[in-house]
Amino acid sequence: MNQIHTYTDQQLKIWIEDQSQAESLAVRADEIRRSIYGTDVYLRGLIEFTNYCKNNCYYCGIRCGNSQVDRYRLSRDQIMDCCEEGYRLGYRTIVLQGGEDPYYKDENICRIVSDIKKRYPDCAVTLSIGEKSRASYQAYFDAGADRFLLREETSNEGHYRKLHPEGMSMTRRQECLFALKEIGFQVGAGFMVDSPYQTTEDIIADLRFLEKLQPDMIGIGPYVTHSDTPFAAYPSGSVDKTLRLISILRIMFPYVLLPATTALGTMDPLGREKGLKAGANVIMPNLSPTDVRKKYSLYDNKICTGEESAQCRDCLELRVKNAGYRIVTSRGDVKRVY
Ligand code: SAH
């Protein structure tokens, strides 16, 4: 169950590129998913607590170079209010995501994490706040954080350089991921599908990197164009390719927690349902206050920015049921024995 299944580059290339493979991949992936996780779908309540970012990634809407962004930060009280609403709605994982915002010092992050854990001891807390020192990661872990999401974005140095400005480093990002694992976090990695200049070989390099890292969670979604970035002219990614990759990931990493992402739902009104059927078993609904949701705009036309959290919850219940699965109220830890 905990084993990783590896395939040749040649086999992976066919699966990644050829849509005629999609159905058989999805059937196989769904079978594997059901054998480990049944029809359970885990929810993660996502709080986007700051859209300030010191980085300038070319693909991302909240990059520091985008002067069109209306910047915001949530206070500890606002974050706690979101958690209260989330807990009431049955969420047992809270994800705190943001740009890399130096305003929040380690002690602030630790205080927020420990406050949430104290108030809701049966909840997992996940952080997604970018690259930090090992000592910072250790401090967050000691404060009670359970999981950390940090997508590697790409595993080819040449491709990494095309997506990021001078001063950012692929090696550093990968080192962060290994440090997080060593500290004891459940770790999530991943990449965008069809980001500008990405080749099939780059995706295979990501799969090889993931084989080495053995993460507990893998988040992938299509690259979605943001009109105020240097990549405004590059087209958004393929939903079908993303779905094939979800199936490939489920087949290669049977135990892994795989979200049907908001980016997938943005590119196709039924994207998340299709993601579940292709092998995904996690959904990350938005718990941010409604008035800031539009401001956390990594890409254009992001879904669920108008609704109240409770509306998102009801809508999802129905969508998941219609896809043939069922939302469960639990922390949804990885089913994996080390
Ligand atoms: N600052 C944190 C959180 C990043 S936002 C960090 O560095 O990890 C979460 C993810 O959104 C990113 O890792 C990236 O893969 C994705 N993302 C950013 N811009 C995007 C775009 N234009 N289209 C699709 N996904 C995007």
Side-chain angles (χ1 to χ4, degrees), residues 4 207 210-211 215 218 248-256:
I4 287 176
L207 298 176
L210 294 169
E211 285 179 346
I218 302 175
I248 293 168
L249 288 168
R250 173 63 66 209
I251 293 166
M252 288 180 72
F253 304 89
Y255 59 82
V256 85

Side-chain angles (χ1 to χ4, degrees), residues 59-60 97-98 128 130 150-151 153 173 192 222-224 298-299:
Y59 46 85
C60 181
Q97 187 179 80
S128 178
L150 185 78
R151 290 183 177 178
E153 313 295 0
R173 203 163 177 89
M192 290 173 285
Y223 161 73
V224 185
L298 308 177
Y299 44 79

Side-chain angles (χ1 to χ4, degrees), residues 27 58 123 136 186 200 269 312:
V27 167
Y58 300 139
C123 284
S136 299
Q186 294 178 41
T200 299
C312 287

Side-chain angles (χ1 to χ4, degrees), residues 240-295:
D240 285 336
K241 195 198 276 187
T242 306
L243 294 170
R244 294 198 296 281
L245 273 159
I246 288 175
S247 299
I248 293 168
L249 288 168
R250 173 63 66 209
I251 293 166
M252 288 180 72
F253 304 89
Y255 59 82
V256 85
L257 292 160
L258 270 178
T261 54
T262 308
L264 190 57
T266 296
M267 291 304 298
D268 180 331
L270 291 176
R272 286 172 300 175
E273 289 88 326
K274 290 178 184 172
L276 294 177
K277 289 181 181 171
N281 62 337
V282 171
I283 296 185
M284 302 173 68
N286 200 324
L287 260 187
S288 308
T290 314
D291 62 311
V292 304
R293 287 188 190 182
K294 277 200 170 55
K295 300 179 188 170

Side-chain angles (χ1 to χ4, degrees), residues 290-291 293-294 302-309 311-312:
T290 314
D291 62 311
R293 287 188 190 182
K294 277 200 170 55
K302 196 174 125 194
I303 52 168
C304 309
T305 55
E307 278 110 275
E308 300 286 330
S309 301
Q311 288 173 287
C312 287

Side-chain angles (χ1 to χ4, degrees), residues 45-51 70 72-86 89 91 94-97 104 285-297 302-312:
L46 181 65
I47 305 176
E48 300 154 334
F49 70 100
T50 172
N51 69 354
D70 188 3
Y72 73 90
R73 291 184 177 108
L74 299 185
S75 66
R76 195 151 46 88
D77 283 349
Q78 284 175 303
I79 294 172
M80 292 310 287
D81 286 348
C82 296
C83 293
E84 192 181 326
E85 169 81 343
L89 293 171
Y91 299 140
I94 298 293
V95 183
L96 295 170
Q97 187 179 80
Y104 296 90
N286 200 324
L287 260 187
S288 308
T290 314
D291 62 311
V292 304
R293 287 188 190 182
K294 277 200 170 55
K295 300 179 188 170
Y296 195 85
S297 151
K302 196 174 125 194
I303 52 168
C304 309
T305 55
E307 278 110 275
E308 300 286 330
S309 301
Q311 288 173 287
C312 287

Side-chain angles (χ1 to χ4, degrees), residues 33 37-44 89-93 281 283 313 317 320 325-333 335:
R33 165 256 171 70
Y37 290 103
T39 55
D40 291 359
V41 173
Y42 305 119
L43 298 181
R44 319 300 194 198
L89 293 171
Y91 299 140
R92 294 296 176 266
T93 294
N281 62 337
I283 296 185
R313 181 67 179 77
E317 187 80 41
V320 169
Y325 304 94
R326 131 191 117 100
I327 288 176
V328 293
T329 303
S330 78
R331 276 173 49 123
D333 287 299
K335 292 200 175 163

